[in-house]
Amino acid sequence: MNQINRIDGGLINRSNKLNFNFNGQSLEGYEGDTLASALLANGHRMVGRSFKYHRPRGIFSAGSEEPNALVQLRTGAYQEPNTRATVTELFHGLEATSQNHRGSLKYDLMAVNDLFSSFLSAGFYYKTFMWPKAFWEKFYEPVIRAAAGLGRLSGEDDPDIYDKGFLHCDVLVVGAGAAGLSAALSAGRAGARVIVMDEDFCMGGRLNVETLSVDDKSGSEWATQALAELSAMGNVRLMTRTTAYGAYDHGIVGALERVTDHLISSEKKPRQILWRVYTKRTILCAGATERPIAFGNNDRPGVMLAGAVRAYVNRWGALPGKRVAVFTNNDDGWRTATDLAAKGVEITAVIDSRDGQPPVDVPKGAAIVMGGRIVDTKGRHGIRSFTLSNGQQIPADCLAVSGGWSPNVQLTCHQRGRPTWREDIAAFVPGGELPQGMSVAGAASGNLSLSSVLLNGHDIGNSVVSDLGFTPSKVKSSSSEEETTGISAFWHVRESKVRAWLDLQNDVTVKDVKLSHQEGFRSVEHLKRYTTLGMATDQGKTANIPALAVMAECTGKSLPETGTTIFRPPYTPVAIGALAGRARGKDFRPSRLSPSHSWAEEQGAVFVEADMWYRAQWFPRTGETHWRQSVDREVTQTRASVGVCDVTTLGKIDVQGRDAAEFLNKVYANAFAKLPVGKVRYGIMLREDGIMMDDGTSARFAENHFVMTTTTANAVSVFRHMEFCRQCLWPEMDVHLISSTEQYAQFAVAGPNARKLLQKVVDSDHDISNEAFPFMACGEITICGGVPARLFRISFSGELAYEIAVPTRYGDSLVRTLMAAGEEFDVTPYGTESLGVMRIEKGHAAGNELNGQTTARDLGMGRMVSKKKDSIGNTLSERDGLNLENGLSLVGFRPVNRSEELKAGSHFITKGNTANMANDEGWMSSVAFSPNLGHSIGLGFIKRGSERMGEVVLATDPIRGGEMDVEIVSAHFIDPEGERLRG
Amino acid sequence: MAKFTLTANTPLGGFSHDFKGVSISEVNGRSIVSLATPLGGKEAVSKALAKTYKLEIPEPGKSTVSSLDNAVLMGMAQDQTFLVFDHTEDKPIDVVSKHLKDTAFLTDQSDSYVMLRVSGENSRSVLERICPIDLHPSVFPEGSVSRTIMEHLGTVIVHEKANTFLLMSARSSAKSFLEAVEVSALNTV
Amino acid sequence: MIINHPLLGPRDAAEFVYKGDASLINRPDWQADDAAELFHEYLYLRDNPAGEHRELWYHEQGDRSWLIVTRNTLTHDISKVEFARDVALAERSKK
Amino acid sequence: MKYSGFKVIKEALTGHKGWKPVWRTPKPKKEYDVIIVGGGGHGLATAYYLAKEFGITNIAVLEKGWIGSGNVGRNTTIVRSNYLLPGNEPFYEFSMKLWENLEQDFNYNAMVSQRGILNLFHNDAGRDAYARRGNSMMLAGADAVLLDQEGVRKMYPCLDFENARFPIKGGLLQPRGGTVRHDAVAWGYARGADNHGVDIIQNCEVTGMNIENGVCTGVETSQGSIKAKKVAVCVAGSSSRVMSMAGMRLPIESHVLQAFVSEGLKPILPGVVTFGAGHFYVSQSDKGGLVFGGDIDGYNTYAQRGNLPVVEDVCEGGMALMPMIGRARLLRMWGGVMDMSMDGSPFIDKTHINGLYFNGGWCYGGFKATPASGWCYAHLLAKDEPHPVATEYRLDRFRRGAMLDEKGVGAQPNLH
């Protein structure tokens, strides 16, 4: 039998029937339904289990505040845990299952927890599970963890895609109910750029669920008309299914648009879009949330919020029960009785906690109890009846409860705002210190009657736009009939002898709050943390205020004195995938490709990530099965003849200006002022604290023009640092910096035949002989018949070497040309591994040594730090702690047993000492196999290293289970005199 | 004479594609020279520019267009202006220094950028997915220039004319940048 | 956060890189008798106020200017944005 | 009152009438031997150990709000002792050992859960650095395991091994690392200290320091002036504010670190994992929430909230590392104010003012240090000399050039 509880009316499209599946059962609903309304229409009351006691749970609300009706939506990798049925738009083919039960929903084995509930009181776990000690990890905790959580992730990669975007407007209207639409009309008519967002798929808010009329139209008709007017305005953007979830500094609002969640498939479009909204003004029209009253066994399926009950009836034509009763402390609750009675639904009783006369006409046949108290309910899987304090039992399969409405102040509190209490409506309303540019209108500001909401929205819309310099339109506010909104605060039924729920999802009861008070957890934050109140997926939207009221009662303080916990973003939970947007997998970060990348790919190069760059690591040749074979060959061939390596990734900074030389003299620790034009110098750059920041070369191309290189890793931070020096420290200097990293493709050409190779491509009018172009020369030349190039005679490998740079557009062509020209020399390309081997052979420091913890002195370059001039870092580099007699120094290491392989990260211990931290004397920073020496070599830091040449120490590597004797040697393993590079 | 010759390539091989209501195409054939104004030398640069390109130095965030070489002068910073002009040969600096003599410090940036033109009625909707700058004509009118960040990549955006934007981003990450723009189009239209 | 750049208008703080207290533009004299102590105070000690704070931001994804932003560290309200270079030059002319 | 399973059962059967407040609510006395300013984890631990281990019980802990309202109540609950430098590692290992016996020691179940912490690396340099660090840990008597890619895959098959921009090459595992129920640490220490007679005074803000002739004699508070032989400041993010009352400037900046928790989920992550190529670390709580975080926002602030770019950056890291969390929803985000020091390492030291002591500069790593910080601070207060594992945490180390810079980024607090 289908849709047994479907009645006439509502904003659903009965001509579009949708089939869906809940817990394996095929059901039908209509377009316009939510999963919750469709389940109710099909007579499903029980839809889940609570967190701790596994009590049966039914649909409680009709919105995003839902604590109970959480389902697992979709299947397989698309499985989406903890999804609120109340805001899940029904679609054809929807599949959902209930959560948090072992066995079936109806017969949950974990429901045994409920029997032991008195042992599982708030915070019980802090007091036990401590003995015997080993049992916590082995037994108690695994049991607790097995019970954790509600829904389940699939464990598979999220198959959907997400996107992000930026929106800009004058006015952002959050919430498109009566207040939001009124405000948007005011702002839109005045010509402001307006964005209206609503979390619902159908704008109108409670206009769509109440039977009140506006301007002699039904609420939903008025909303439709307002939306038509707004969507015709070019300056207004309407966004449904979009939740403003957080208010951030300076008027930035985070919003989530659910683009395809209401479709069976995303079809490769983004499932959700995360919007960053930059707005001059925000008008928060987020409405209000109804809250329950706590009484005995008030958690049974069928006990619902009164406003939700009439929402299901009025908007969706779905009947939550056949025999409905109302329990209220306010006039609004009565609307549920009158609305339902008007639809012919049986109202068994209206219980009003207030004394006096009924505020409205009494529905026929209903028992009316003024000053009434419900103390208990009955019904195992859903309410069947309830009991009043006088013992009277009243039947009902749906109990509509209203404890009044709490304005949705969350976004007003995301920064410093704290809500203030209004006794007349028994609710917190937005207080001071709202986020920049935010105003609040409608129910969110405490206006609870429709007529006041409409007027308030209209007026605030107008005042906001006139603030921004627009002329408000003269159109008057729409209006509605008057209604009564009386309320008298009433939070929980003291007469109840059994557990009365406050937080339905986390199973926090009135007793728990009292226990929390008894044990001294009285601050609201202690209460929250001790009982877990409000920490469930609904963030306590319906639970917090009643619970605070119970605490206030215990302490004898007023509710405003008791305060509220801090509202944190997000307003409703946001998928992590959406917050990440496109950044995942290979798209996590951009890829920078060097000019020779395509060519290297063709060569079958293996690439390595170096920051954002991909660099060729080595170039395997046919027959090479291990990377070491390739690297050994590249190194050997380069040292024997010539090799080519793409070094484009090194940072290049163009430094120009009348004071360029003096500027470099200040940013480098060593002298630069007198570097001749046409020469390159190696420079070390310190941080102001005297630690090595970076090293590189600077080449002087003209009196006022230098080209600096930095390491690949520090290119950006060095540029930033130099801009700081230029603008903030020495603003009187005429210096100009611009990065030219991208502008030039740069290749190292190294090896005894480097010159011969280059001479084949360099245009003949440029003499690059050793005499004309010696070591550390630089110059602007042309190659291959006029292509401009820069040539640097510098060497990282220790060989006769050059670096040649051409405009990037020629990079691909140049590497191919060098390979072709080098064929006669058996030229080899080499990658970063070989680069590393050769620099270790040569004793050059690199990233592992320049790790931000070492000084020039540690690196054996202490004497380069000039004491005769002011440079960054020179003063503080003189501190005692950086000049210890037994300080570290960088030296070379080789295994005493040459066949052993050194391990980077080993620590050094003097022979005979115990290997412990007190005897730790340093560490191995870089290692390589030297094909030239035929054994493993390493660079490392050890105390007084430079004085300990020849000493054998222990290199201990407990993490890999090894240790070996190593000999301290010079870091210059190859050509210590530097004859090759000058050759 | 060297027997080798070098051939130039472009960052994206001349990419061009039309999506619904928006076209994305690589722009080539332009050179970019950065002009750094020496301390106290603004007047001299202005004079030289006025004489040759008939242009003033634009404020940062603005651009001006000259008929000479279709040059666009973009204000990048207080002391930095980009001159973007039709020139496909090497050494664009020689062209500029002919006009400006030594009034400004020049740096060739022609090979530093990939340029994409995004045009069509949907161009703003597409760019709103990645561009943090407000591109509404009331805020970012034609001629506006901005350097910002899109999908982790530094990007210069120029509002060339109605519904037409020029994007400049680093050449080495041209493929990632194109993907960022393309995916925006695919996700939007 | 949004930083209202003196020339470019409001820009998301994500375009900027933060450095710290604006006093970092006042680098001590390396030849002062107590240079070591002055540099220690300059580099390491901070007022770290709860309230108005003058601080350095670098517009890395923008015009590459260093700015001095006056911002309240309790509310994040920004009351002033200046070019650090202008401030540095002005302080020099005072001396 | 001793807590035990039997006690819980007894109370359950008798209507929970016997539970007493976990700590008393005393009025401040006129004078104490030691006043501890700051009722966070470190302050409460200091009081507890002073009373229990060093026999000083005439102590007040002054807290301007509710105890545990600072970083002990707003962190991502991770404990570990995987440090590199000899000035740090023995201290954190001492802390780890205290964690391991904490519950029995203070009779409160803080749910110390040693499910391991795994720091991933993504390149050879990362491996070398972690090998060096792991060796440091082992030389200091801690546990460490260097895993290769297969080792990581066995523990965490759900990570992105196939399509990552920065492929996982391996990781440094500390099996004894894990998580602790953070609030319970504050409550457990409070309960323990209270049992030893320590006065815990909430809603008592220190408004001034009484310093005469270079000697600190007590404090002014919102509840009147209180004398003390020794005043021990321990206020994390508020360090600069409080010490400025004594005229001191500190090598500290206050920054916000955001933290995040997802909706409750059935267990899927056994231990703590940190991403090495982005800013993301995560664990799953005993309630089922994924608890995660990343980098600090990076600007000075005293506001306990951050901004969106960091939220997005952290989630980007999360999705890059484990794309299976895309459909999990972020439930709550919050911020804590970190006392970021100039080298990323803390201070436990006397000041130049007699009777005034300072503990701070914990950056975002204070939680794991809580027991050792309390113990070592208590040692310093009781004996006027540093505990052997905390000898490097001196305020003058920058003047001497003896920085403890684990990350190697220099005097730039927002980079530590």
Side-chain angles (χ1 to χ4, degrees), chain A residues 191-210:
Chain A
R193 288 168 72 194
V194 180
I195 295 174
V196 185
M197 292 180 169
D198 197 284
E199 61 180 352
D200 204 329
F201 53 90
C202 175
M203 286 189 168
R206 290 204 67 82
L207 289 171
N208 292 331
V209 307
E210 301 290 6

Side-chain angles (χ1 to χ4, degrees), chain A residues 759 761-767 782, chain B residues 1-2:
Chain A
Q759 276 166 338
V761 297
V762 170
D763 290 342
S764 56
D765 40 349
H766 302 286
D767 182 0
T782 59
Chain B
M1 268 307 282

Side-chain angles (χ1 to χ4, degrees), chain D residues 102-121:
Chain D
L102 186 64
E103 289 151 354
Q104 287 68 32
D105 188 75
F106 68 17
N107 180 229
Y108 201 80
N109 188 356
M111 301 181 213
V112 176
S113 175
Q114 294 178 287
R115 286 171 285 119
I117 178 165
L118 177 63
N119 297 116
L120 299 172
F121 58 78

Side-chain angles (χ1 to χ4, degrees), chain A residues 229-247:
Chain A
E229 183 182 344
L230 289 168
S231 58
M233 296 181 191
N235 54 327
V236 176
R237 180 162 177 170
L238 299 172
M239 302 176 77
T240 54
R241 303 184 179 98
T242 305
T243 306
Y245 65 81

Side-chain angles (χ1 to χ4, degrees), chain A residues 611-878:
Chain A
D611 299 306
M612 298 303 147
W613 292 98
Y614 280 99
R615 298 189 72 179
Q617 200 171 7
W618 64 84
F619 294 82
R621 279 197 185 161
T622 318
E624 290 172 350
T625 53
H626 189 276
W627 65 270
R628 263 279 308 283
Q629 293 173 305
S630 311
V631 173
D632 288 356
R633 174 189 45 76
E634 289 171 17
V635 171
T636 311
Q637 233 170 308
T638 299
R639 292 217 188 276
S641 178
V642 62
V644 172
C645 182
D646 188 332
V647 293
T648 301
T649 63
L650 269 73
K652 302 185 254 321
I653 302 172
D654 207 47
V655 184
Q656 298 196 66
R658 296 188 296 267
D659 300 311
E662 183 50 29
F663 180 77
L664 290 189
N665 204 39
K666 284 169 104 64
V667 295
Y668 278 125
N670 52 321
F672 262 83
K674 299 202 174 96
L675 180 69
V677 172
K679 287 287 179 191
V680 190
R681 184 170 289 170
Y682 173 76
I684 55 173
M685 219 178 263
L686 305 183
R687 299 191 309 230
E688 192 68 274
D689 66 356
I691 303 286
M692 282 287 280
M693 175 162 70
D694 199 54
D695 69 347
T697 59
S698 279
R700 193 167 200 171
F701 280 98
E703 195 58 28
N704 295 337
H705 186 191
F706 292 79
V707 172
M708 173 189 280
T709 64
T710 72
T711 59
T712 302
N714 292 330
V716 173
S717 57
V718 165
F719 189 90
R720 184 187 304 151
H721 166 71
M722 285 172 50
E723 279 290 0
F724 174 73
C725 295
R726 180 180 88 94
Q727 297 177 37
C728 301
L729 300 182
W730 308 304
E732 69 284 351
M733 283 191 174
D734 182 47
V735 186
H736 306 271
L737 308 174
I738 188 163
S739 167
S740 54
T741 307
E742 298 279 338
Q743 177 66 24
Y744 292 96
Q746 193 154 325
F747 297 90
V749 182
N753 287 321
R755 183 181 299 119
K756 284 187 197 151
L757 193 164
L758 279 176
Q759 276 166 338
K760 290 180 71 179
V761 297
V762 170
D763 290 342
S764 56
D765 40 349
H766 302 286
D767 182 0
I768 60 168
S769 67
N770 201 28
E771 297 69 39
F773 202 81
F775 183 55
M776 297 311 259
C778 68
E780 293 190 281
I781 58 166
T782 59
I783 64 171
C784 299
V787 172
R790 287 171 173 173
L791 190 65
F792 309 84
R793 176 93 187 265
I794 51 180
S795 175
F796 196 49
S797 58
E799 295 299 324
L800 163 66
Y802 300 80
E803 288 189 12
I804 181 162
V806 291
T808 305
R809 67 183 75 176
Y810 295 113
D812 178 78
S813 187
L814 178 59
V815 72
R816 292 172 198 274
T817 301
L818 290 171
M819 285 301 130
E823 212 167 313
E824 63 175 290
F825 310 110
D826 194 18
V827 64
T828 179
Y830 64 93
T832 54
E833 280 300 320
S834 299
L835 190 81
V837 171
M838 288 191 274
R839 71 100 186 163
I840 293 170
E841 286 180 334
K842 189 64 192 164
H844 284 309
N848 282 10
E849 287 75 36
L850 299 168
N851 67 354
Q853 296 167 325
T854 51
T855 63
R857 184 176 182 268
D858 298 341
L859 292 161
M861 297 187 285
R863 266 175 295 177
M864 285 178 72
V865 180
S866 169
K867 298 192 184 217
K868 293 189 200 126
K869 61 166 187 152
D870 180 23
S871 325
I872 299 287
N874 286 22
T875 301
L876 287 177
S877 72
E878 290 174 24

Side-chain angles (χ1 to χ4, degrees), chain A residues 158-439:
Chain A
D158 185 349
D160 270 319
I161 58 169
Y162 299 85
D163 207 354
K164 294 185 190 177
F166 301 88
L167 297 173
H168 302 264
C169 60
D170 295 317
V171 181
L172 171 67
V173 178
V174 177
L181 292 176
S182 299
L185 285 169
S186 293
R189 285 167 182 160
R193 288 168 72 194
V194 180
I195 295 174
V196 185
M197 292 180 169
D198 197 284
E199 61 180 352
D200 204 329
F201 53 90
C202 175
M203 286 189 168
R206 290 204 67 82
L207 289 171
N208 292 331
V209 307
E210 301 290 6
T211 48
L212 294 161
S213 59
V214 182
D215 291 350
D216 303 321
K217 286 184 252 318
S218 80
S220 68
E221 281 165 3
W222 182 85
T224 307
Q225 185 189 302
L227 288 164
E229 183 182 344
L230 289 168
S231 58
M233 296 181 191
N235 54 327
V236 176
R237 180 162 177 170
L238 299 172
M239 302 176 77
T240 54
R241 303 184 179 98
T242 305
T243 306
Y245 65 81
Y248 296 89
D249 279 317
H250 308 147
I252 299 175
V253 173
L256 182 76
E257 181 179 1
R258 290 169 298 278
V259 185
T260 68
D261 278 357
H262 62 294
L263 305 175
I264 183 86
S265 160
S266 296
E267 291 180 343
K268 298 196 173 151
K269 291 290 179 190
R271 176 190 168 212
Q272 300 178 339
I273 302 172
L274 187 92
W275 295 104
R276 280 83 35 119
V277 190
Y278 296 71
T279 176
K280 295 185 182 122
R281 293 284 191 279
T282 302
I283 307 178
L284 181 69
C285 306
T289 299
E290 198 168 18
R291 57 205 185 213
I293 297 169
F295 52 88
N297 287 318
N298 61 333
D299 66 326
R300 294 191 199 282
V303 179
M304 297 172 68
L305 292 171
V309 170
R310 61 180 191 269
Y312 285 114
V313 169
N314 292 336
R315 176 171 166 184
W316 287 289
L319 208 53
K322 304 261 193 221
R323 309 174 80 195
V324 179
V326 174
F327 183 26
T328 183
N329 69 349
N330 63 78
D331 298 350
D332 189 71
W334 286 80
R335 301 191 61 83
T336 301
T338 49
D339 278 13
L340 267 64
K343 296 244 175 190
V345 180
E346 183 190 344
I347 305 297
T348 60
V350 180
I351 316 298
D352 193 322
S353 62
R354 300 171 296 178
D355 295 324
Q357 293 302 311
V360 295
D361 292 341
V362 174
K364 263 187 215 146
I368 303 298
V369 185
M370 297 304 292
R373 305 283 187 270
I374 298 179
V375 295
D376 200 359
T377 69
K378 286 207 168 60
R380 190 164 166 222
H381 291 139
I383 185 170
R384 287 197 316 271
S385 68
F386 57 88
T387 312
L388 297 180
S389 55
N390 61 10
Q392 189 185 351
Q393 262 201 32
I394 297 175
D397 59 359
C398 171
L399 177 56
V401 182
S402 179
W405 293 78
S406 296
N408 290 326
V409 301
Q410 285 87 345
L411 261 67
T412 69
C413 302
H414 282 175
Q415 291 177 27
R416 291 163 58 78
R418 294 287 174 273
T420 54
W421 180 255
R422 249 177 71 186
E423 193 63 41
D424 61 326
I425 58 168
F428 282 104
V429 296
E433 298 199 90
L434 263 48
Q436 190 174 316
M438 186 181 282
S439 326

Side-chain angles (χ1 to χ4, degrees), chain D residues 41-50 52-54 91 94-95 97-98 102 105 189 348 359 362 369-383 385-390:
Chain D
H42 290 216
L44 293 165
T46 304
Y48 173 73
Y49 290 120
L50 256 181
K52 180 164 177 284
E53 304 295 333
F54 298 94
F91 173 85
F94 178 57
S95 205
K97 292 204 171 76
L98 291 174
L102 186 64
D105 188 75
Y189 276 121
I348 301 176
N359 173 320
W362 294 97
T370 306
S373 169
W375 187 299
C376 294
Y377 203 18
H379 184 282
L380 176 73
L381 286 162
K383 304 189 168 186
E385 61 186 50
H387 187 279
V389 297

Side-chain angles (χ1 to χ4, degrees), chain D residues 2-14:
Chain D
K2 190 168 165 63
Y3 286 158
S4 68
F6 299 112
K7 174 78 179 161
V8 169
I9 291 166
K10 185 176 159 241
E11 284 298 326
L13 297 173
T14 55

